[in-house]
Amino acid sequence: MASPISTITPESERAEIAGWVHEVRDLGGLTFCLIRDRTGIVQVTVNRKKAPAPVLEALSRLSRESVVRIGGTVKAIAKAPGGREIVPERFEILSPAESPLPLDVVEKVPAELDTRLDSRFLDLRRPRVAAVFLIRSAVMAAVWEFLAARGFVNITTPKLVAAATEGGTDLFPVAYFEKEAFLNQSPQLYKQIMMAAGFERVFEIGPIFRAEEHNTTKHLNEATSIDVEVSFADDREVMDLLEDLILFVYERVAATCRDPLSWLELQLEVPKKPFPRLAYRDAIGIAARRTGEPLKFGDDFGAVAEKALGEEMGVHYFIVDWPTAIKPYYAMPREDDPELCRAFDLMHPRMELASGSQRIHQHDLLVHQIRSKGLSADSFEFYLRPFRYGMPPHAGWGLGADRLVMTMLDLANIREAVIFPRDRHRLVP
RNA sequence: GCCCAGGUAGUGUAGCGGCCUAUCAUGUCGGCCUGUCACGCCGACGACUCGGAUUCGAAUUCCGACCUGGGCGCCA
């Protein structure tokens, strides 16, 4: 069995390692090979006069990024990286790499994102790139741990659905035997149905699909959503939950991802609680003042307004008290002012991260809201039925996992936060 | 979908009517080299996205297609 490279120290006597050929420096009588595995890099030093013939033979056939297995003695050498090097007795090429490489793994020459995504498997061999996904994994684990500790039940809901249930966004049609189906844009309706099932606290982390032809650094056609729904909770309570979750995730990443963060040369700053709660009406005012645009009540925030707001706030913040007219039909209108609803968006200074609301749990009011949005209640029957048999009051939100990682790590493009992103033009790999 | 910018060796770039038999770096191959750590030095290899047009002459200008980046729009 090969040992992880990071476990080899100057005190080690022998080592057997397996990994990729990171770099080869041939000085003539001496050749230095840097071998990389997921834990680190070690130098393997071959002396032309002293090395066994099979080692020299393997060395002569060696290409960068080939997979090798090497066994030998470990020497403590101050001049070597990490203060140690391996003098090989066995040098086996397990899997040769062709050349030229489609991408420079050593990063002497930069590559464009498009080139990197075409050869993502090679791109991911770069620690700086791998770091993003090690951290993303830690984020997901932290989310799961946080919610599980609070009694949330993890659910999995269909991604193949019968109808464009929410309206608004365009859906991808798929052939479903003799029927037409769609890829789901959100687990919204299903997680609400689970409230009627009496589960009280559910979450789902899964893909959502949007067939929008957007072409930006913060939109994808396939994204990962962290969705939560809580019975007997109102909008304020699930906002607190969301705020605590964000803090917990940041703290966990800061504490457990030191190496990946250092590869990214990132000082992670944990946001402070509480996040400011900004009323929609005030947000419109600020955006109008800062941009000079004639924004008025009922408008949505465009990219320029969103950026101006972020600059003004400078930290994570909530926009609350949205107009009922521009939020989905399931958002609960306020009793004292039905023009406003109990919906909120969680914003990072760069972009929206999450949106949620207290939901309407009264059947007739829900039907009314669906109709007032110009939608047909008939196609929502599977969703509406549970509201007639004891639906508790509930609230919830959906948080964009890709955007969470992107903003946390200050990535320029959301595609960098997704291993195999799906956008308007990219379907492969 | 609209607007802007762009497409040159495997990768990243320079060149923007004749000086291009196309620059530089990295890479690959060959040679020299026993302590490199972006090893160094010498030599070689390797590219103008495609199709039309203008011109004596096009990588360079124009038109179209395809592709890419960015901004905007759209976006439960």
Side-chain angles (χ1 to χ4, degrees), chain A residues 16 33 52 63 160 193 199 227 243-244 260 271 294-295 315 335 339 390 411:
Chain A
E16 175 160 334
C33 304
S63 60
L160 285 165
I193 292 173
F199 275 51
D227 264 273
E243 187 178 72
D244 285 339
L295 290 166
V315 293
E335 306 74 41
E339 293 293 301
L411 304 174

Side-chain angles (χ1 to χ4, degrees), chain A residues 131 134-136 138-139 252-263:
Chain A
L134 298 180
I135 293 168
R136 183 174 166 129
V139 166
R252 183 52 62 89
V253 167
T256 64
C257 298
R258 290 177 185 271
D259 283 349
L261 286 170
S262 73
W263 301 339

Side-chain angles (χ1 to χ4, degrees), chain A residues 6-13 74-78 80-85:
Chain A
S6 63
T7 64
I8 300 168
T9 68
E11 289 74 42
S12 307
E13 289 181 9
V74 177
K75 283 170 63 183
I77 299 252
R84 84 291 194 228
E85 67 185 17

Side-chain angles (χ1 to χ4, degrees), chain A residues 3 16 24 33 42 47 58 65-66 70 93 140 160 202 204 213 230 237-238 268 291 328 336 393 412 416 423:
Chain A
S3 331
E16 175 160 334
V24 179
C33 304
V42 69
N47 185 317
E65 295 304 319
S66 293
I70 291 166
I93 299 175
M140 294 312 200
L160 285 165
V202 300
E204 173 164 17
E213 298 197 357
V230 187
E237 288 169 300
V238 293
L268 190 64
T291 63
D336 56 339
E416 295 179 67
D423 63 30

Side-chain angles (χ1 to χ4, degrees), chain A residues 206-410:
Chain A
I208 56 172
F209 304 92
R210 306 280 163 85
E212 299 292 338
E213 298 197 357
H214 34 48
N215 186 226
T216 76
T217 52
K218 49 189 173 192
H219 290 89
L220 290 171
N221 294 289
E222 178 176 346
T224 300
S225 177
I226 300 166
D227 264 273
V228 157
E229 204 67 30
V230 187
S231 288
F232 310 112
D234 63 18
D235 49 332
R236 303 288 151 161
E237 288 169 300
V238 293
M239 282 166 69
D240 290 342
L241 178 79
L242 177 53
E243 187 178 72
D244 285 339
L245 172 69
I246 298 290
L247 260 56
F248 181 83
V249 168
Y250 268 77
E251 281 163 4
R252 183 52 62 89
V253 167
T256 64
C257 298
R258 290 177 185 271
D259 283 349
L261 286 170
S262 73
W263 301 339
L264 288 166
E265 295 166 40
L266 213 67
Q267 305 276 331
L268 190 64
E269 220 173 289
V270 179
K272 298 214 173 16
K273 193 178 161 178
F275 300 161
R277 266 70 166 168
L278 183 64
Y280 164 89
R281 200 181 291 276
D282 297 332
I284 283 288
I286 292 169
R289 172 166 55 78
R290 286 194 66 121
T291 63
E293 289 180 6
L295 290 166
K296 59 182 193 307
F297 184 87
D299 288 341
D300 217 329
F301 299 96
V304 176
E306 190 176 278
K307 182 160 178 280
L309 262 182
E311 284 166 2
E312 170 97 6
M313 302 304 290
V315 293
H316 287 80
Y317 62 101
F318 285 104
I319 302 176
V320 301
D321 293 335
W322 286 78
T324 307
I326 58 172
K327 280 292 180 185
Y329 56 80
Y330 50 73
M332 179 74 89
R334 280 173 56 150
E335 306 74 41
D336 56 339
D337 183 0
E339 293 293 301
L340 297 180
C341 66
R342 301 189 173 280
F344 58 87
D345 280 5
L346 171 65
M347 308 295 296
H348 178 274
R350 290 177 67 193
M351 69 192 78
E352 177 187 334
L353 292 184
S355 66
S357 61
Q358 182 177 331
R359 325 297 193 189
I360 294 173
H361 61 277
Q362 304 92 330
H363 177 274
D364 293 352
L365 178 57
L366 189 54
V367 170
H368 176 266
Q369 289 300 101
I370 288 171
R371 293 203 173 121
S372 73
K373 297 278 178 190
L375 300 167
S376 158
D378 295 346
S379 55
F380 288 83
E381 178 53 21
F382 83 99
Y383 169 63
L384 286 169
R385 267 187 77 213
F387 288 81
R388 295 197 290 268
Y389 300 94
M391 174 65 86
H394 57 283
W397 41 256
L399 167 65
D402 317 294
R403 288 185 171 191
L404 177 62
V405 172
M406 175 189 183
T407 52
M408 175 183 280
L409 304 182
D410 199 25

